[in-house]
Amino acid sequence: MGPVFDTVLRPAIVAASRSERIENASQRWPVTERVVRRFVPGESLDAAMTAVGDELDDGLAVTVDFLSEDTLDESQAEATVVAYLELLESMSSFRPASFGSLEVSLKLTALGLGLPEHGAKIAAENARRIVEAADSLGILVTVDAENHTTVDQRLTIVRSLRDDFPDTGTVLQACLRRTEDDCAEFASSGARIRLCKGAYAEPAAVAFTERRQVDDNYLRCLRTLMKGPGYPMVATHDPTMIDAATILAGEFGRTPDSWEHQMLYGIRVDEQRRLATTGARVRVYLPYGEQWYGYLVRRLAERPANLVFFLRALRG
Ligand code: FDA
């Protein structure tokens, strides 16, 4: 399915993630519950907290994402802030063994970045409220990467947050041509940087379109992050990238507490546990909430096997 999946199906599936009609229909399919549970532990805060407890018990760290994106209404952005403040309160009841085990991930479009007026200012203020609250509770924050049109605004906001909260992390996507330069900048400033391949369909003008090119860029960026004084967060399920991270960490004399692996909830769960038993830090990205549709479609688009799983479930 390789090339056909990459050139035909993947763009079509990602396009479907923006279709409200398909979203509304799919939320009514009986199969939905089963498929969603594979990648999203639940819609409620309680379900998310149960999953957090399970991961911590297994010696893994977590980053929790309240699912919401592309907010075009200020009151919805405010509701997302309130949801994050509640999430932080709930997470603070856990007393994990090590500092840094608890983290939240957030999307700036969910905090108002796309609002027609003053979107960047509103998103920056909303993000700051969440980062301040998280900081006071000893919980870390990483700002997720969305499509390429939002990168400049996001990095400007993150630079400003880091002036006051230097632990604020963000994500760089190896599929983007600019990312090598962004890695050099953020690595030298000592930032916490999550390196991923990138989950959005991007135009060739700004992104590598061949898997091989993305992988090569991932390895170049990983080297830059591992070499620098920052904290690399190696977000991938790819065995080649995972092995490369371990080798590069050794080459640059990194201790196990100076970088980490990250994987998504429900994906390569055995590998997550195996890495943790080697003494490596492993963090699980744990999404929850009612707006799971866009997240789910990106997971289906990433990998033919995820799509096969979905189609099998459809057949019942
Ligand atoms: P890729 O999909 O290229 O697969 C490579 C290999 O990995 C496969 O051949 C297989 O061996 C293995 N593999 C992958 N999936 C598997 C599965 N389900 N089961 C078994 N093996 C599997 N993206 C983004 O744009 N913005 C963001 O903020 C984030 N945030 C983020 C956080 C975290 C913690 C992770 C892990 C990922 C993200 N992503 C993301 C998503 C990321 O960009 C990317 O789309 C996915 O991680 C898929 O790419 P991989 O690097 O895992 O490998």
Side-chain angles (χ1 to χ4, degrees):
M1 198 163 356
V4 176
F5 184 79
D6 284 345
T7 56
V8 182
L9 281 177
R10 195 167 194 266
I13 297 166
V14 171
S17 75
R18 291 190 294 273
S19 161
E20 235 176 79
R21 211 144 40 98
I22 300 179
E23 173 171 2
N24 291 339
S26 71
Q27 284 177 336
R28 292 192 303 271
W29 293 342
V31 65
T32 298
E33 170 87 15
R34 211 169 347 138
V35 177
V36 176
R37 283 300 159 268
R38 156 87 192 273
F39 299 105
V40 179
E43 294 192 347
S44 69
L45 182 56
D46 279 354
M49 290 306 102
T50 303
V52 167
D54 291 346
E55 303 293 357
L56 294 176
D57 286 349
D58 284 353
L60 304 172
V62 293
T63 186
V64 185
D65 169 33
F66 173 68
L67 290 166
S68 52
E69 38 197 296
D70 289 343
T71 301
L72 290 173
D73 154 355
E74 214 169 318
S75 63
Q76 214 181 322
E78 177 60 25
T80 300
V81 175
V82 170
Y84 268 99
L85 298 179
E86 282 169 9
L87 167 63
L88 290 167
E89 266 321 305
S90 297
M91 286 174 78
S92 69
S93 64
F94 290 100
R95 294 275 165 260
S98 58
F99 172 79
S101 296
L102 298 175
E103 185 192 87
V104 295
S105 286
L106 50 86
K107 288 189 174 46
L108 292 177
T109 61
L111 300 179
L113 189 66
L115 290 171
E117 277 183 54
H118 313 300
K121 183 168 174 284
I122 292 167
E125 286 167 3
N126 284 339
R128 184 166 284 269
R129 286 165 64 197
I130 295 169
V131 171
E132 269 169 5
D135 184 69
S136 72
L137 295 167
I139 299 174
L140 295 167
V141 178
T142 289
V143 181
D144 282 352
E146 302 180 67
N147 75 44
H148 79 277
T149 63
T150 60
V151 178
D152 280 327
Q153 286 173 313
R154 172 170 55 90
L155 296 186
T156 301
I157 291 172
V158 169
R159 284 186 201 99
S160 153
L161 288 169
R162 290 195 66 240
D163 287 343
D164 300 314
F165 303 98
D167 280 340
T168 308
T170 195
V171 181
L172 296 175
Q173 297 149 305
C175 68
L176 297 183
R177 297 177 191 275
R178 60 176 289 167
T179 293
E180 218 181 327
D181 291 341
D182 291 333
C183 277
E185 177 203 330
F186 279 87
S188 68
S189 74
R192 293 172 62 249
I193 290 296
R194 176 194 301 162
L195 181 64
C196 67
K197 291 190 187 178
Y200 296 82
E202 303 285 16
V206 297
F208 300 108
T209 49
E210 304 281 323
R211 258 171 205 264
R212 167 70 61 86
Q213 294 174 308
V214 175
D215 288 354
D216 287 350
N217 200 39
Y218 195 102
L219 293 171
R220 285 193 294 272
C221 292
L222 190 56
R223 169 168 278 275
T224 302
L225 295 178
M226 285 289 186
K227 193 174 175 188
Y231 184 89
M233 303 185 276
V234 185
T236 179
H237 313 95
D238 188 335
T240 306
M241 305 302 143
I242 291 170
D243 288 349
T246 309
I247 292 166
L248 286 169
E251 183 181 330
F252 294 113
R254 282 188 170 269
T255 52
D257 60 356
S258 70
W259 66 285
E260 68 187 40
H261 295 282
Q262 296 191 344
M263 294 192 212
L264 302 176
Y265 177 86
I267 299 187
R268 300 203 74 201
V269 175
D270 292 345
E271 177 67 357
Q272 295 171 11
R273 265 87 189 144
R274 187 196 69 78
L275 285 168
T277 60
T278 67
R281 280 191 176 176
V282 183
R283 188 180 303 275
V284 178
Y285 186 104
L286 206 152
Y288 81 99
E290 291 173 9
Q291 289 189 48
W292 43 259
Y293 177 78
Y295 179 86
L296 178 72
V297 171
R298 285 196 294 280
R299 301 295 76 81
L300 296 179
E302 266 155 21
R303 189 172 146 79
N306 288 346
L307 192 61
V308 170
F309 169 78
F310 177 69
L311 295 173
R312 278 214 192 101
L314 264 185
R315 237 178 25 206

